[in-house]
Amino acid sequence: MIKDLHFEVAEFQARLRAVKEEMARKGLDILLLSEPPNQNYLTGYNAYSFYTPQMVVVALDHAQPIWIGRFMDRISATMTTYLAEDNIRAYPDTYVQSAALSAYDFMADIVKEVAGEKARIGVEMGGYYYSARAHADLTRALPLAEFVDADLLVGWIRLVKSPAEIGIMRQAGQLADAAMQRVIDTVEAGVRECDIAAAIYHQQVSGTPEFGGDYPCCPPDLCIGERSIAPHAAWTDDPVPDSTVVNLELSGCRHRYQVNLARTIVVGRPSPEFEKLSEIAVESLNAGLDAIRPGRTCSEVDGAFRQALARHGLEKESRIGYPTGIGFPPASGERTASIRKGDETVLQAGMVFHMMPGLWLDTVGVTITQSFAVSDSGFEPLTKTPRKLVIK
């Protein structure tokens, strides 16, 4: 049977050791991971199966994690993880979308098997895939256990990428660049917005001559005309006007690692005021990037950006960056550090961020961004698309 692993088993084992060390520090016997990125990080598991109950169980006294999912997805667990077959457990289809049966009862029995009924269990209370029903069913099935919020326990470990992960993210950056160039080549007056979106999807997946891409975590933000001031707008089937602004954020995804990229494209001739605003946005972005080095805090990087912006009498309310890495729907951000005032997270080599200092004003918006990896002495850009306004 084929094995689709993108890292050495030793790397998975190192990740598991780091997680178990943090579990021990928090006094946890069991960690239940419901978030697909964390499941992928610790096992390699990758299939579009997370719409049904799915869990990876980490037990302090168990050598490998245990994957638990739907019976028909067991084969994907065998193909995409390094786990031994007895650590791949599947529940029958009778549990799927059943009013009478809960897959979490099945999972609770495995918890009892590896840690007993009185285990101290960490769960991802803030995760996208840990529902109120999941928690209610687990606590009912394990009445003697103690449940602890361990949200982001794995997330903070994932924040620093290994050299092998950075290598994959460099490829994801190439995919993002290729998709952006496809858009730049495609956008012109009269082209339907939906056709631009279709071109993005085609390029994201077809990739480069050397390698292809995966489905992205979320759709591209294609903000055109009056919707160019709405950061997360959807496309329509309207044609692009003769003179308009296109604010676009897209991504490249390689082996589930995602790198984001945003640019502003102007169809027609921009006003001098708009060109000046774009120059200010780039100047401030570059000031933030120049502040990046190990030992600096996210807040200090944010401060360098805001000082440059303030010289032009402008302010920005929202954060200017977030970490990315393994991504599954609905979002690519890792929910840990943010490049914003007051975030004292200390930068380390191997951290990856999307610096996204979009300027969303009352009547105009400019979004020119840079994904980067923190290097030993500064930053490594993961995309090569020039940081400037694009004029068509």
Side-chain angles (χ1 to χ4, degrees), residues 186-250:
T186 301
V187 168
E188 61 182 43
V191 174
R192 294 187 306 169
E193 295 180 14
C194 55
D195 292 328
I196 299 171
I200 294 169
Y201 274 109
H202 179 269
Q203 192 65 55
Q204 285 174 317
V205 178
S206 63
T208 73
E210 293 74 28
F211 51 84
D214 298 336
Y215 67 88
C217 301
C218 45
D221 297 317
L222 192 53
C223 315
I224 299 176
E226 292 185 357
R227 287 178 287 106
S228 65
I229 60 174
H232 302 113
W235 61 82
T236 73
D237 55 6
D238 293 337
V240 173
D242 291 336
S243 180
T244 196
V245 172
V246 177
N247 280 323
L248 168 66
E249 181 177 354
L250 50 73

Side-chain angles (χ1 to χ4, degrees), residues 6-7 11-12 15 37 40-41 158 161-162 164-166 168-173 175 214 217 251-259 324-328 334:
H6 304 297
F7 300 97
E11 175 147 346
F12 287 113
R15 297 171 183 180
N40 176 276
Y41 182 72
R158 283 174 47 207
K161 275 66 178 175
S162 70
E165 289 180 290
I166 296 294
I168 290 176
M169 296 195 78
R170 291 189 184 107
Q171 293 182 336
L175 294 170
D214 298 336
C217 301
S251 60
C253 191
R254 174 73 169 159
H255 300 321
R256 298 310 328 147
Y257 282 81
Q258 184 155 315
V259 169
T324 64
I326 302 170
F328 284 81
E334 290 187 339

Side-chain angles (χ1 to χ4, degrees), residues 55-243:
M55 199 75 73
V56 164
V57 180
V58 180
L60 276 182
D61 298 329
H62 206 74
Q64 291 185 352
I66 299 173
W67 176 91
I68 308 172
R70 189 181 185 184
F71 87 100
M72 66 174 58
D73 297 309
R74 182 184 185 109
I75 189 68
S76 290
T78 299
M79 289 179 172
T80 65
T81 78
Y82 73 98
L83 302 177
E85 279 298 312
D86 60 353
N87 291 322
I88 297 173
R89 310 289 185 89
Y91 55 80
D93 206 59
T94 51
Y95 285 91
V96 175
Q97 298 176 359
S98 169
L101 298 175
S102 171
Y104 296 101
D105 287 326
F106 184 95
M107 296 173 183
D109 287 340
I110 295 173
V111 171
K112 294 174 189 177
E113 173 191 329
V114 297
E117 296 187 0
K118 297 181 179 181
R120 194 164 190 263
I121 302 171
V123 292
E124 297 178 301
M125 294 293 288
Y128 297 118
Y129 292 89
Y130 191 69
S131 67
R133 174 58 58 82
H135 190 68
D137 286 355
L138 283 169
T139 54
R140 173 188 50 76
L142 295 164
L144 301 181
E146 179 185 359
F147 284 81
V148 178
D149 184 7
D151 191 35
L152 300 181
L153 184 153
V154 177
W156 283 106
I157 294 170
R158 283 174 47 207
L159 184 58
V160 180
K161 275 66 178 175
S162 70
E165 289 180 290
I166 296 294
I168 290 176
M169 296 195 78
R170 291 189 184 107
Q171 293 182 336
Q174 292 179 53
L175 294 170
D177 281 328
M180 185 60 72
Q181 187 59 55
R182 178 74 174 272
V183 174
I184 292 170
D185 293 341
T186 301
V187 168
E188 61 182 43
V191 174
R192 294 187 306 169
E193 295 180 14
C194 55
D195 292 328
I196 299 171
I200 294 169
Y201 274 109
H202 179 269
Q203 192 65 55
Q204 285 174 317
V205 178
S206 63
T208 73
E210 293 74 28
F211 51 84
D214 298 336
Y215 67 88
C217 301
C218 45
D221 297 317
L222 192 53
C223 315
I224 299 176
E226 292 185 357
R227 287 178 287 106
S228 65
I229 60 174
H232 302 113
W235 61 82
T236 73
D237 55 6
D238 293 337
V240 173
D242 291 336
S243 180

Side-chain angles (χ1 to χ4, degrees), residues 257-309:
Y257 282 81
Q258 184 155 315
V259 169
N260 291 19
L261 172 63
R263 286 293 180 272
T264 296
I265 304 168
V266 176
V267 178
R269 190 70 208 174
S271 68
E273 294 78 13
F274 192 85
E275 282 198 86
K276 178 60 177 177
L277 181 63
S278 71
E279 292 168 1
I280 293 170
V282 172
E283 175 191 330
S284 302
L285 169 62
N286 288 338
L289 291 169
D290 288 343
I292 296 164
R293 59 183 54 89
R296 290 272 177 88
T297 67
C298 287
S299 185
E300 289 175 315
V301 174
D302 177 86
F305 166 83
R306 293 183 190 282
Q307 287 179 9
L309 196 63

Side-chain angles (χ1 to χ4, degrees), residues 297-300 302 338-345:
T297 67
C298 287
S299 185
E300 289 175 315
D302 177 86
S338 289
I339 303 178
R340 61 157 49 114
K341 181 179 180 180
D343 190 320
E344 300 303 322
T345 302

